[in-house]
Amino acid sequence: MSNAVSLPDLAPLRDWFSSYCNSFRSTDLELQRNFDLKEEHTRNVCRDALLIAHGMGARFEMLAEVAALCHDLGRFPQFRDYHTFKDSESLNHAHLSAQVMNQHHLLDFLPAEERGCIEVAVRVHNAFLVPEGLPALTADLLRLLRDADKLDIWRVFIEYFNAPEDERASGAGLGFPDLPGCSAEPLAAVAAGRMVQLATLKSLNDFKLLQVSWIYDINFPATLRLIRQRSVLEQFRTMLPQDREVLDVVAQVERYLDAKLRDSAD
Ligand SMILES: [Fe+2]
């Protein structure tokens, strides 16, 4: 039996993305730094999505790359118009990504069913939890996109935090003040094995805890292995306040990660 649908070439879509990024070029250094951040982030999410999707079939790998390439299109007009990546102070960037995707007919090269799956995955990739009852392909693409996105947001944040203050892309810290210690609510959430809610954050340190708590939301064993290889948790531990209660919850997440890695190796 022949392969009914041949694999589309993504080169035109990749080229479109480059010219889309160029269309936002600005002489305002602050704006350009944040656009560069999202362009690099998108390219890394594509790479990591492919790493995670490896072995899940050529067609799925192609769809994973398409979803990754499109997932943050809305970040560019968001930062241009609102000077923030904080959705609560601007708009839902994932909805805007889906809108840009449709306006430019980016998915017209795909069959309607696959197009629909990618649209939903992009549209809800930033939801607190993966919605129930999604079709299998949509759910798989969404879970994979969320994993790949987290991997690179960690990279962005770690680089942001370790850069001199005048070289930081302002959007990456979401504007949280750098106060000492961590707040009770985020600490309690991590201790209870739950993801931290964005609305409970009061400081940059709380934001670090929120990112540590994402480890509870990882879907694929390949992502867990990348977290370990890239020493994500170790790097967050050194960036966090060295308080007993903070180190305790980080150790707890570490045990969770170890157990998940052991389970997935069986
Ligand atoms: Fe993203």
Side-chain angles (χ1 to χ4, degrees):
M1 218 162 58
S2 70
N3 194 350
V5 188
S6 65
L7 214 55
D9 177 16
L10 295 188
L13 184 62
R14 294 188 197 112
D15 288 348
W16 179 88
F17 178 71
S18 296
S19 45
Y20 178 72
C21 293
N22 285 336
S23 75
F24 286 89
R25 289 229 153 263
S26 169
T27 50
D28 181 327
L29 232 86
E30 156 77 4
L31 278 180
Q32 191 53 47
R33 197 179 274 167
N34 283 285
F35 294 147
D36 288 345
L37 180 150
K38 283 302 169 190
E39 180 172 359
E40 193 189 3
H41 166 69
T42 299
R43 297 194 190 286
N44 288 339
V45 176
C46 289
R47 179 202 61 202
D48 288 348
L50 286 173
L51 283 177
I52 303 166
H54 182 76
M56 297 171 77
R59 183 112 205 138
F60 184 74
E61 288 176 29
M62 180 275 296
L63 294 174
E65 184 179 345
V66 174
L69 198 68
C70 295
H71 86 285
D72 268 354
L73 293 175
R75 285 303 197 184
F76 295 82
Q78 178 186 41
F79 205 88
R80 181 194 59 203
D81 298 341
Y82 298 92
H83 289 229
T84 183
F85 292 132
K86 218 173 189 174
D87 285 10
S88 61
E89 288 173 6
S90 51
L91 41 72
N92 185 326
H93 79 275
H95 288 187
L96 187 52
S97 297
Q99 206 179 307
V100 172
M101 218 166 63
N102 289 330
Q103 267 166 5
H104 293 271
H105 303 281
L106 298 185
L107 305 185
D108 283 7
F109 69 98
L110 292 172
E113 198 196 329
E114 289 176 344
R115 208 185 304 154
C117 295
I118 290 184
E119 260 177 45
V120 173
V122 166
R123 217 181 143 72
V124 301
H125 82 267
N126 61 338
F128 188 65
L129 295 170
V130 172
E132 307 262 340
L134 293 173
L137 179 58
T138 307
D140 285 345
L141 284 170
L142 175 58
R143 291 202 175 93
L144 186 136
L145 179 56
R146 288 167 67 94
D147 277 20
D149 201 16
K150 287 181 174 72
L151 278 172
D152 196 64
I153 296 173
W154 284 320
R155 192 267 315 160
V156 166
F157 188 82
I158 291 165
E159 282 185 10
Y160 163 85
F161 194 78
N162 291 310
E165 245 167 273
D166 59 336
E167 286 171 27
R168 292 177 180 177
S170 57
L174 292 186
F176 288 111
D178 201 357
L179 307 171
C182 287
S183 308
E185 237 181 302
L187 274 171
V190 184
R194 283 187 278 109
M195 264 201 297
V196 174
Q197 305 248 20
L198 197 58
T200 67
L201 306 191
K202 296 192 175 72
S203 68
L204 199 59
N205 282 328
D206 292 346
F207 187 39
K208 294 173 202 165
L209 274 184
L210 176 138
Q211 295 195 48
V212 164
S213 77
W214 282 348
I215 290 182
Y216 294 140
D217 191 44
I218 293 303
N219 303 294
F220 291 89
T223 315
L224 297 167
R225 290 193 292 272
L226 287 165
I227 290 171
R228 172 54 49 83
Q229 272 170 32
R230 297 177 184 178
S231 309
V232 172
L233 201 47
E234 290 73 9
Q235 298 196 70
F236 271 91
R237 187 193 291 116
T238 60
M239 294 190 293
L240 277 160
Q242 302 297 300
D243 303 343
R244 183 14 50 88
E245 49 193 346
V246 176
L247 295 175
D248 280 352
V249 298
V250 174
Q252 191 183 323
V253 177
E254 174 108 69
R255 287 193 295 276
Y256 172 89
L257 178 62
D258 285 341
K260 288 291 255 190
L261 277 163
R262 265 198 312 275
D263 289 351
S264 66
D266 291 343

